[in-house]
């Protein structure tokens, strides 16, 4: 599941970049809010 969350974060961040360029601030704020509601990233295990 964590791999999919990482892909989701990456896709939403890219979408935010594109929406900023397009000037769609309402959609930017909506996506940022969704991004903040995702579960936190799991800590990477150290060896």
């Amino acid at each position: 599941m964590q791999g999919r969350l990482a892909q989701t974060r990456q896709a939403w961040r890219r979408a935010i970049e594109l929406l900023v360029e397009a000037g769609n601030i309402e959609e930017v704020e909506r996506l940022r809010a969704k991004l903040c509601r995702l579960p936190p990233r799991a800590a990477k295990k150290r060896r």
Side-chain angles (χ1 to χ4, degrees), residues 2-4 6 9 12 15 17 20 24-26 33 36 41:
Q2 194 65 28
R4 291 183 189 255
R9 282 186 186 91
W12 286 357
E17 290 173 6
V20 166
N24 191 338
I25 302 306
E26 281 185 29
C36 289
R41 293 182 188 161

Side-chain angles (χ1 to χ4, degrees), residues 8-21:
T8 299
R9 282 186 186 91
Q10 182 179 13
W12 286 357
R13 285 188 184 113
R14 179 63 181 138
I16 288 169
E17 290 173 6
L18 294 171
L19 289 164
V20 166
E21 288 177 21

Side-chain angles (χ1 to χ4, degrees), residues 8-9 12-13 16 28-41:
T8 299
R9 282 186 186 91
W12 286 357
R13 285 188 184 113
I16 288 169
V28 167
E29 293 306 318
R30 188 181 73 78
L31 267 181
R32 282 184 178 156
K34 286 179 74 170
L35 192 58
C36 289
R37 289 192 301 265
L38 286 177
R41 293 182 188 161

